[in-house]
Amino acid sequence: MKIRDIYNYLDSISPFELQEKWDNSGLIVGNMDDKFKDVYISLDLDLDMIKKIKKNSLIITHHPLIFSPLKTLNNNTYSTKILKKLIKKDISLISMHTNIDKTHLNMYVGKEILGFDFKKIDDFVLTAKIDMSFKELKKIVKEKLKLEILKTVNCKKHINSISLTTGSGMSLLSSIQTDCFLTGDIKYHEAMEAKATNISLIDIGHYESEIYFSRLLNGLIEKYLQNNNKEAIIQASKNPFEYK
Amino acid sequence: MKIRDIYNYLDSISPFELQEKWDNSGLIVGNMDDKFKDVYISLDLDLDMIKKIKKNSLIITHHPLIFSPLKTLNNNTYSTKILKKLIKKDISLISMHTNIDKTHLNMYVGKEILGFDFKKIDDFVLTAKIDMSFKELKKIVKEKLKLEILKTVNCKKHINSISLTTGSGMSLLSSIQTDCFLTGDIKYHEAMEAKATNISLIDIGHYESEIYFSRLLNGLIEKYLQNNNKEAIIQASKNPFEYK
Amino acid sequence: MKIRDIYNYLDSISPFELQEKWDNSGLIVGNMDDKFKDVYISLDLDLDMIKKIKKNSLIITHHPLIFSPLKTLNNNTYSTKILKKLIKKDISLISMHTNIDKTHLNMYVGKEILGFDFKKIDDFVLTAKIDMSFKELKKIVKEKLKLEILKTVNCKKHINSISLTTGSGMSLLSSIQTDCFLTGDIKYHEAMEAKATNISLIDIGHYESEIYFSRLLNGLIEKYLQNNNKEAIIQASKNPFEYK
Amino acid sequence: MKIRDIYNYLDSISPFELQEKWDNSGLIVGNMDDKFKDVYISLDLDLDMIKKIKKNSLIITHHPLIFSPLKTLNNNTYSTKILKKLIKKDISLISMHTNIDKTHLNMYVGKEILGFDFKKIDDFVLTAKIDMSFKELKKIVKEKLKLEILKTVNCKKHINSISLTTGSGMSLLSSIQTDCFLTGDIKYHEAMEAKATNISLIDIGHYESEIYFSRLLNGLIEKYLQNNNKEAIIQASKNPFEYK
Amino acid sequence: MKIRDIYNYLDSISPFELQEKWDNSGLIVGNMDDKFKDVYISLDLDLDMIKKIKKNSLIITHHPLIFSPLKTLNNNTYSTKILKKLIKKDISLISMHTNIDKTHLNMYVGKEILGFDFKKIDDFVLTAKIDMSFKELKKIVKEKLKLEILKTVNCKKHINSISLTTGSGMSLLSSIQTDCFLTGDIKYHEAMEAKATNISLIDIGHYESEIYFSRLLNGLIEKYLQNNNKEAIIQASKNPFEYK
Amino acid sequence: MKIRDIYNYLDSISPFELQEKWDNSGLIVGNMDDKFKDVYISLDLDLDMIKKIKKNSLIITHHPLIFSPLKTLNNNTYSTKILKKLIKKDISLISMHTNIDKTHLNMYVGKEILGFDFKKIDDFVLTAKIDMSFKELKKIVKEKLKLEILKTVNCKKHINSISLTTGSGMSLLSSIQTDCFLTGDIKYHEAMEAKATNISLIDIGHYESEIYFSRLLNGLIEKYLQNNNKEAIIQASKNPFEYK
């Protein structure tokens, strides 16, 4: 099976041209005409994981390994260290990032994992009507997403509507029109902005809210792979953070 | 006492022209020739705090209230909400941000609060030689900075050197040459980068690592104010985040 | 009555999205959900005028109060001085600038005030066929627009066609295909350009050619206001220039 | 005599490298090694003037003929019409613009023509202490500069200090610290800004305040030309504007 | 006959608005309303050629005389030297560059001169299927284009498909999908890129591949000129390069 | 021996910080702390050469392998194909480009190879006084640089002064003040410019004029390597071009 075949299938599920301008989704390492044996799925790559991946295989990740274009390959950054390992083992890499955020991932996390009745507001923001206390909402979110700690901004005791952006969504704060915004990677000044504009926040973790990428993608390509006598191996991407 | 008088004194302690290009330190609200009665010091402003501040006073904050220039004053953002209140109460605002980071704040937190023997590496990064386990280091940092939770990236068991940038310093990661970097507002992709390049991280909190601004500044201007029959009132800037 | 109501009505008459990219038409001070009592209309704001405006009212002007985004509110510029007064009196401000130029103002001045049979050439330029001496044309323009002085560039004795742009239109000179261009704020180098390319100019004054904004807008919203039991108060915006 | 000779002499009086970045002072038409017979001086060029200039001569103007770089020479603009005539008559052109503003022209107009005791504040702004009513000041300025009309912004009855920038200086308004600013080409919004910040204005005309360039330059190069058996011919640059 | 007449006819054959953004095709010297006597066609202009061109004529070239906009006309560059001569002899200049590349020239050279069955791939690239050795192909290209020397990059012995861009096409290399690319002005680093990506190159010369412009254009406008009692004079543009 | 050691020695001979802003000289592949066995020197890399290079070695080239930063490593460009091979064989790469042009290469080619008495004019241009016919000059240059073909622009029969820039120097044409410019990669429009401004050109080849890099660098580091029991292996970089 050639990279081109699965690339085209992935593109039919979630077109790569839907990606944002600053994104780098697509075939990042390898050639369209290369053949691959095994296929792996993971949120991200890390050095331990690469050790376990077999030669001549394909990995599909959510986050593109290269964001800032490279002028050197000096093995002193996350990207270049991983790239070196991939090349040495003839492993190809495809990333599906903002294209699958828009077509599937946000809604999958919102409905399948969190269990709320979300509707799409724009490409990256979902909203749902709910009717519960902030305390209750925090409890549900913590349990469903298995959050070790809960970092929140508390503006209202009762919550009638929520917005959701998986990953890192705080740049969208000014467009939020609901009582509470669920997203990851919330910084201090962003929290101050939310506090002043009376929007509660729950930090759902960048990692914790996107780790479902693997399960989701596997579901989407399972049959296609079976028809080609393949089966995806889900790799457990590790959270770099520890708490306590 | 005129705004101009205290502005000039502050400028002699920590010249405003040292600020970074993107910063907005200086007189943000009010006029150089206005007189003020009371003087307040705070890390940041919030709506509750403004209620307690007297009319015709001056506030000195660390973070500039305006970062992105304003095209409207529509009361729907943190900046414009606070600005409206300041104007209604004839309160002036001076901010000392990256200038005082460079001249005092980083070193004050590193030496006086954390108690390590830091040296200046560049304008925003300090380093110190230490000799302890990561576990021990975490314990000290948590106690000294009174951190409610401890979010870390763990690469090495033993730590021989640390770097420190108060506030939000992860954009400086590529210049860090020590075993462990202490800074706030650490995001997921930054943690992945640190993990791969073998630099441990301790998230010391943006708020928690800069709350010492008020105490520090008060010490620096206390005598000057006494000579002018004034005394600064330290306002307790609130952390927008809650944990659990 | 809420700001949002009248904003939406104004938008239905002259959509704010028609404004030029560099413009700042729309709600500049105040909130969509604020209620207002009185409504005023004026070409521009000045400090004397603000004294006469009642608290909690709405002003609709032609020129946006803020053009260059603000990093400070230091009361040392036209914009910040007026802004401070507006905020202290809880006065809201909506500006209708290039949107109403395009939809109404140019044509209103051309037909209703000057009395020529103008046709629209592009968004900001009107042309009319006439048949009179430049001397005659100058006389008519001076009388109709009540110009105190007449500043002209004289290229042709007889004029067969004229172009009109109210306000400040000299950046459009290279597109003018008629014998004479009527616009305001004409500078020396622009006059030299017109002289060499044989296009006569009559400086109709920025203020003098746009002062009709108030009368025009009042006509457009009179009935709507009556249905809401309101009546607009036209404020006499003052010409900053004196002659002799 | 070669262009290079007089170019070098002009450069020794008022170095061309002092010009502003956006300016185009220097040799605009002709070659350094060309010889010229007659030398003319003028504020600007116009088509009638070129008719009277002899072939193979040199003109020195204040304003550069080319500001915006040219992609075509289609004879439909001021610059290209004049350029065509210059080339056909083998006339060379040197312009001394912002360099001579800085070194001589501003001060010459301020002291020799207006008769006030000006001091240099920065490259383009002079200030003088005076003590007279605005009415008196207007009378003096009008007489000395032979202004046909007087366009002013009136903020203060008594004037203790004035600033001067010949030509078109309103972009410098925010740096003016005196009671009244004398400059040309004042536009409506600039007048509004001045009115609000309490700075009176007298529009001294771009043409009317710079027409002294020819007399000034002639004085500066008279002896040098005599030593080379030449004499400059001053051309009367025409004001494109007529009043009434 | 007016410039406007023939300009409009040329525009109907090969619309000037098809030109690339960086190009400067169109009327470069002269006026639309000027009359001309003789009409000349040439790839480019040179000083010897201008001597032979009659006054009051029109020249149509392929390459625009002005690419970089001009701030001076100092006779020290190719453009300004030629411009001066054109103006002195009242010669008008129209250039048809990337518009005619797209509509006619590429295909004319590919089919009529080289004799291959080319198809259009995009605006500037043609491809043809062939079946011959690289040696044979070189022989044909050299003969048909009368190349004095043959500069090639040799990757494959047998060539099944070729691409063609007349003039200077190496910036398009990454889009080439055939065995061999024929274009001019090939530089060393571009040759290295082609070598590594296994695409053979034949340098067909910028001059040598575009010299057919005159013959082509003459064919396109011959009848139109006859109807207007005119006949184009083809000028032999000289190759600046000599070999040996 | 570590990469860092030889990097520092190279930096002492020709400081990397002298490189132009757009250049990418320095350590491009590998780590400062890696050890290497053999050291190779070459003008450039190609796929055949990499096959002969031993694992764990270091290559020093003139041209940086990466110019445009990379967003993918897809093996479809010169850079990425070579990079993949280097990584698989653990080969490090240092490039010395515009830094060594400035400090040594230009002068080495001018004096040692061509044998003229060149002086440095600026960083990239040398000039020499000579006294011979263009024909004679061409003969010398062709012999000394072993040029297969000679591509020239012929303006003057006798040459009194020449300029030299190895590699690709035509962007410097406007600063050339001598009779003839020797450089490589000359394009058609550049030749037209030279022809019109009366500067003769000899295309000395980008490859042919820089191939001396290896011999030069070997001379500079020979002793240093001997002291470290190493000897550089000069690789014969291949010219991608063939003539006939």
Side-chain angles (χ1 to χ4, degrees), chain F residues 162-173:
Chain F
I162 57 174
S163 298
L164 169 72
T165 300
T166 57
S168 191
M170 284 303 288
S171 64
L172 304 164
L173 178 65

Side-chain angles (χ1 to χ4, degrees), chain C residues 106-107 109-111 114-130 159-166 172-173 175-182 199:
Chain C
N106 266 335
M107 196 52 94
V109 173
K111 285 197 166 166
L114 283 168
F116 292 118
D117 185 27
F118 278 106
K119 279 164 190 29
K120 202 170 178 175
I121 291 300
D122 69 34
D123 273 349
F124 293 109
V125 181
L126 308 179
T127 68
K129 297 204 169 161
I130 63 170
I159 303 294
N160 291 310
S161 57
I162 56 174
S163 298
L164 169 72
T165 301
T166 57
L172 305 164
L173 178 65
S175 70
I176 301 302
Q177 311 245 347
T178 55
D179 292 338
C180 179
F181 186 26
L182 281 60
I199 293 170

